[in-house]
Amino acid sequence: MMELKIASRTCRDQMGEPRTFHYALTVDTVETDTFCCENYGVRVWEEQGEDETIPGITTSASRIDELMTLLVDNRVGPAGLRDVVEDWL
């Protein structure tokens, strides 16, 4: 699996403490007898905190870009990643 870091965002939690989340695109290769394609997923982790990866979400580059933009713009953390992806799908 290959990983490409896309962005980092810092926000403040309910206690006013800064939290920094990092966002990465994961890429796996899917091979069959007749074709080969890339399968995209996402990874979100917090500095000195949680880390969550969801591989194999889509083979569409435009769809994973849409999802990644949603995650970064809304500063989705590792704890909420699975719920957001499930709702998005």
Side-chain angles (χ1 to χ4, degrees), residues 22-50:
H22 303 282
Y23 302 86
L25 174 71
T26 64
V27 184
D28 290 312
T29 302
V30 176
E31 295 183 40
T32 69
D33 292 338
T34 56
F35 70 92
C36 177
C37 67
E38 292 181 331
N39 199 10
Y40 304 105
V42 295
R43 176 180 175 218
V44 178
W45 70 100
E46 184 175 4
E47 282 185 19
Q48 303 167 357
E50 295 180 53

Side-chain angles (χ1 to χ4, degrees), residues 67-86:
L67 176 59
M68 189 63 70
T69 299
L70 175 78
L71 297 173
V72 173
D73 287 353
N74 291 286
R75 292 175 172 83
V76 174
L81 179 62
R82 287 202 180 271
D83 287 337
V84 171
V85 170
E86 286 175 9

